[in-house]
Amino acid sequence: MVKKIFASAYIYLILLLMYLPILLLVVFSFTVSENVGVWTGFSFDLFPRLFYNQEIMIALGNTIIIAIISSAVSVLLGTLGAIGTFYSKKRSKRTIEAITQIPVVNAEIVMALSLTVLFVFLGTYIFRTSIFSFYTLLIGHVCLSLPFVYLSVKPKLQQMDPNLYEAAMDLGCTPRRALFKVVVPQITPGIVSGFLLSMTLSLDDFIVTAFLRGPGLLSTDKSIETLSTLVQAKIKKGPIPPELRALTTILFLIILLAAILVTVYRNHFAKSSGIKRKLRRMGNGVR
């Protein structure tokens, strides 16, 4: 009994430490004070002010565009890579999986520095001009997210019945049709998880963005500003704009809603898959 109480208290303490800073920002997004900790009365004024702050809106737009495009590219490449690796020979599979693990355990600063050196070399000796732009930033975010997409899709492939693809081929499907009709629906939860994980990694990334950004997107001729780089720049100059607290609340609610929807979808998918397996077993028993 004492162990259970201690374990529950420990879990709730960890959760409190994790979510208390977020809840603090959420609470103080409903007051117009410049600093967190000073309550000047309940108000929704920060939310309309947020959408009139051009600097924050540009940074938010850049962040969302980069996150969506890099996540889409990462999901496409990561899913195809996971499927290709799954159906590869054992030696090739072991080599690819070992290579995929390196970016996951590697420090992000190492990746950012290595890509920076590569792009500086290409700009200096090949293109004869600086090539830092949206595309270098996109490559950096894809390199950051791609291994995590692979690791999200891989378990779903391992859980899949390996005979389904071959059965579809035997029934007359082309390899492409069998892939999209049989394999992809089975690994959809992993693809969705990989996309959401890629979005999260891209949205809050700072190191890769700071090293690889250049002019482009909504910043036009200026260096691309994202939410992470904007917050870092504001901290240097003085207090963070209070409108960012309202943005934090909106993002937190959106992410919370997305997490709930994904959980419901996973439970529904698992339940429907279980029912189908039971029906197949019953059918085999009748035969």
Side-chain angles (χ1 to χ4, degrees):
M1 185 66 180
V2 176
K3 290 183 179 180
K4 290 183 179 180
I5 295 174
F6 179 78
S8 300
Y10 178 77
I11 292 172
Y12 286 122
L13 177 62
I14 296 299
L15 291 174
L16 180 64
L17 293 175
M18 288 175 58
Y19 288 101
L20 184 60
I22 299 175
L23 295 176
L24 190 66
L25 285 176
V26 170
V27 170
F28 280 93
S29 65
F30 295 100
T31 186
V32 294
S33 62
E34 291 291 327
N35 299 313
V36 175
V38 179
W39 185 267
T40 58
F42 186 85
S43 174
F44 288 102
D45 290 349
L46 289 182
F47 291 91
R49 280 169 52 181
L50 168 66
F51 296 99
Y52 287 103
N53 191 315
Q54 186 177 7
E55 191 176 26
I56 295 178
M57 287 294 101
I58 290 175
L60 176 62
N62 289 335
T63 303
I64 293 175
I65 293 171
I66 294 168
I68 292 175
I69 296 177
S70 65
S71 298
V73 175
S74 298
V75 164
L76 177 62
L77 297 178
T79 302
L80 293 177
I83 294 172
T85 304
F86 182 74
Y87 289 104
S88 298
K89 296 180 179 178
K90 289 185 178 180
R91 182 177 297 179
S92 300
K93 184 183 295 186
R94 285 197 297 266
T95 303
I96 295 172
E97 289 182 351
I99 295 173
T100 308
Q101 294 290 338
I102 295 174
V104 176
V105 299
N106 195 18
E108 190 176 344
I109 185 68
V110 176
M111 179 188 297
L113 280 172
S114 60
L115 288 174
T116 302
V117 171
L118 173 64
F119 293 139
V120 168
F121 174 82
L122 293 176
T124 304
Y125 296 103
I126 306 297
F127 297 98
R128 303 292 180 179
T129 184
S130 176
I131 62 173
F132 287 94
S133 62
F134 162 71
Y135 297 103
T136 58
L137 182 57
L138 177 63
I139 292 172
H141 279 239
V142 170
C143 291
L144 177 67
S145 305
L146 185 58
F148 293 94
V149 175
Y150 174 86
L151 293 176
S152 297
V153 176
K154 175 185 169 184
K156 297 301 177 183
L157 286 167
Q158 293 174 336
Q159 295 171 9
M160 183 183 68
D161 186 350
N163 298 319
L164 291 177
Y165 181 78
E166 296 177 3
M169 296 281 289
D170 292 338
L171 292 173
C173 285
T174 61
R176 180 180 299 179
R177 186 175 179 83
L179 174 65
F180 286 102
K181 290 291 185 180
V182 176
V183 178
V184 172
Q186 294 291 321
I187 63 174
T188 297
I191 295 175
V192 174
S193 298
F195 181 81
L196 293 177
L197 185 57
S198 298
M199 286 282 292
T200 303
L201 290 170
S202 179
L203 285 172
D204 64 1
D205 176 74
F206 172 75
I207 297 176
V208 171
T209 304
F211 276 79
L212 302 179
R213 61 178 176 159
L217 292 181
L218 303 180
S219 300
T220 60
D221 296 333
K222 299 179 181 178
S223 184
I224 294 174
E225 198 79 79
T226 63
L227 289 176
S228 59
T229 58
L230 177 64
V231 170
Q232 193 267 347
K234 293 298 182 182
I235 290 175
K236 282 185 176 180
K237 296 178 181 178
I240 299 176
E243 291 85 358
L244 283 173
R245 301 201 299 266
L247 179 61
T248 301
T249 301
I250 294 173
L251 291 176
F252 174 72
L253 293 176
I254 292 174
I255 292 171
L256 180 63
L257 179 62
I260 293 173
L261 292 176
V262 169
T263 303
V264 171
Y265 174 78
R266 282 179 176 176
N267 293 337
H268 175 73
F269 183 84
K271 188 180 294 184
S272 61
S273 299
I275 292 173
K276 289 179 181 178
R277 284 195 295 268
K278 288 181 180 178
L279 290 174
R280 282 199 296 267
R281 290 172 186 169
M282 292 173 61
N284 293 332
V286 171
R287 292 174 189 173

